[in-house]
């Protein structure tokens, strides 16, 4: 069985002259491939209604399930100021292929478990305090979650909430191989390396090593998929393949602005039994 993996497709930010060019290109890519299942690790859109519409379109146009987790953009309140991020998170959970609603049984041997995850600042430089990171501002740059993500708990409490939720699901799936999906990063290797001062600070908002530690504790996690940092990287640690395969923003693509050309370069395909 072949599974296509992608993240951070940002169909609204990547729109060309107001038109979503990513979704049709992704559907066409899937239809010309032999993948049986697709997984998107968050940041589909910055408006949850568009996130849901995009997943529905992909499933309808390709005829295969498209599992996803929300990213930080998907729970932003910018387009729904009357809602909290919890309201949006729960609205997104109504989609049955949102892994934040329930784990997904792929076949007799494999299950997918996932959620957005959050960050606990530990990927940031230890020259800063929690109070420094709570400000979510450095050198005039503002981390947009401080404005657009409206939870009713502290940042670290949000991280703990998602970590415990994922671990509870892992405890229930003792006999299956697991594909773990988070939007945020589970390992230091995916953070911005040799960071300039700005990223010594902003790495704090990339994720938490606690998600990676789940793979040590539950070695049946054979794949741990994430997005968020807009990288395309793979690292194997012990028995787990960590995969970050982001489409990212058009402006970040090296030599073109055509999703039809960029999607095949960004998608990672894995094969499971
Ligand atoms: Fe993103």
């Amino acid at each position: 069985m072949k599974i296509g993996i992608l993240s951070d497709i940002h169909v609204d930010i990547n729109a060309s002259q107001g038109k979503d060019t990513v979704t049709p290109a992704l559907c066409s890519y899937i239809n010309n491939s032999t993948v049986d299942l697709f997984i998107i690790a968050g940041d589909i859109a910055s408006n949850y209604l568009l996130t849901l519409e995009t997943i529905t379109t992909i499933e309808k146009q390709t005829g295969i399930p498209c599992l996803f987790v929300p990213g930080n953009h998907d729970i932003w309140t910018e387009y729904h100021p009357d809602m909290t991020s919890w309201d949006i998170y729960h609205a997104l959970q109504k989609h049955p292929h949102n892994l934040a609603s329930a784990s997904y049984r792929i076949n007799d041997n494999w299950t997918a478990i996932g959620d957005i995850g959050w960050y606990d600042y530990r990927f940031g430089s230890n020259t800063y305090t929690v109070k420094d990171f709570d400000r979510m501002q450095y050198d005039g740059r503002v981390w947009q979650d401080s404005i657009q993500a409206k939870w009713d708990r502290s940042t670290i409490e949000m991280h703990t909430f998602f970590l415990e939720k994922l671990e509870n699901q892992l405890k229930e799936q003792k006999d299956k191989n697991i594909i773990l999906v988070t939007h945020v990063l589970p390992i230091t290797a995916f953070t911005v390396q040799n960071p300039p001062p700005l990223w010594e600070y902003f790495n704090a908002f990339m994720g938490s090593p606690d998600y990676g530690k789940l793979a040590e504790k539950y070695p049946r996690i054979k794949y741990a998929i994430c997005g968020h940092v807009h990288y395309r990287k793979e690292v194997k640690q012990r028995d787990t393949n960590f995969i970050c395969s982001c489409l990212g923003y058009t402006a970040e693509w090296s030599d073109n602005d055509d999703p039809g050309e960029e999607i095949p370069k960004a998608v990672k395909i894995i094969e499971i039994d």
Side-chain angles (χ1 to χ4, degrees):
M1 176 179 211
K2 284 185 184 168
I3 303 175
I5 297 162
L6 189 61
S7 186
D8 295 73
I9 61 173
H10 292 286
V11 298
D12 46 352
I13 295 170
N14 284 333
S16 175
Q17 292 168 337
K19 208 170 155 234
D20 169 12
T21 53
V22 170
T23 309
L26 180 55
C27 291
S28 152
Y29 167 82
I30 294 171
N31 285 330
N32 287 309
S33 76
T34 51
V35 298
D36 308 288
L37 179 71
F38 209 81
I39 300 177
I40 301 182
D43 276 8
I44 293 146
S46 306
N47 175 343
Y48 82 96
L49 292 175
L50 186 55
T51 298
L52 291 170
E53 192 186 309
T54 302
I55 300 295
T56 303
T57 303
I58 294 168
E59 294 195 322
K60 213 164 149 187
Q61 301 278 321
T62 67
I64 63 166
C66 182
L67 311 182
F68 70 102
V69 296
N72 54 324
H73 277 249
D74 300 288
I75 56 83
W76 277 3
T77 56
E78 183 180 0
Y79 292 97
H80 303 278
D82 51 331
M83 295 172 85
T84 66
S85 291
W86 280 117
D87 295 333
I88 293 173
Y89 178 79
H90 294 313
L92 286 165
Q93 277 183 315
K94 292 197 175 116
H95 195 293
H97 288 161
N98 180 354
L99 293 172
S101 323
S103 59
Y104 180 88
R105 180 193 172 281
I106 299 171
N107 60 26
D108 286 347
N109 304 322
W110 290 84
T111 290
I113 288 176
D115 214 316
I116 177 170
W118 209 244
Y119 33 86
D120 63 359
Y121 304 151
R122 276 155 66 209
F123 284 149
S125 162
N126 58 15
T127 56
Y128 296 104
T129 63
V130 168
K131 221 172 157 186
D132 292 330
F133 289 131
D134 275 340
R135 273 194 290 277
M136 298 191 182
Q137 283 190 43
Y138 181 89
D139 199 19
R141 297 237 204 151
V142 179
W143 183 248
Q144 289 299 302
D145 286 347
S146 65
I147 301 164
Q148 304 295 353
K150 291 180 186 150
W151 304 110
D152 61 353
R153 307 180 195 192
S154 74
T155 298
I156 291 166
E157 283 169 338
M158 285 312 300
H159 157 64
T160 308
F161 168 82
F162 289 119
L163 182 71
E164 288 176 359
K165 185 168 177 262
L166 288 167
E167 182 151 22
N168 286 336
Q169 287 176 283
L170 287 164
K171 281 180 192 159
E172 285 168 17
Q173 301 284 345
K174 285 204 183 81
D175 306 321
K176 298 273 195 162
N177 291 320
I178 304 291
I179 297 176
L180 180 70
V181 186
T182 55
H183 178 63
V184 301
L185 310 184
I187 49 171
T188 314
F190 289 161
T191 61
V192 177
Q193 299 294 296
N194 306 312
L198 182 77
W199 279 96
E200 283 187 347
Y201 182 81
F202 280 104
N203 266 339
F205 313 115
M206 289 298 106
S208 164
D210 286 345
Y211 301 107
K213 287 217 180 82
L214 288 175
E216 282 177 45
K217 204 166 164 189
Y218 301 90
R220 280 181 170 272
I221 300 176
K222 301 299 179 197
Y223 295 96
I225 294 162
C226 67
H228 199 39
V229 73
H230 292 197
Y231 284 163
R232 297 167 191 172
K233 281 191 183 178
E234 279 179 63
V235 175
K236 184 154 187 180
Q237 292 183 2
R238 287 166 299 276
D239 288 336
T240 308
N241 293 288
F242 290 87
I243 297 169
C244 181
S245 54
C246 299
L247 182 61
Y249 300 140
T250 315
E252 295 165 330
W253 304 345
S254 54
D255 52 2
N256 74 87
D257 56 5
D258 175 7
E261 265 188 56
E262 198 65 18
I263 285 169
K265 295 183 201 165
V267 172
K268 167 74 187 173
I269 294 177
I270 61 169
E271 208 160 349
I272 59 166
D273 52 354

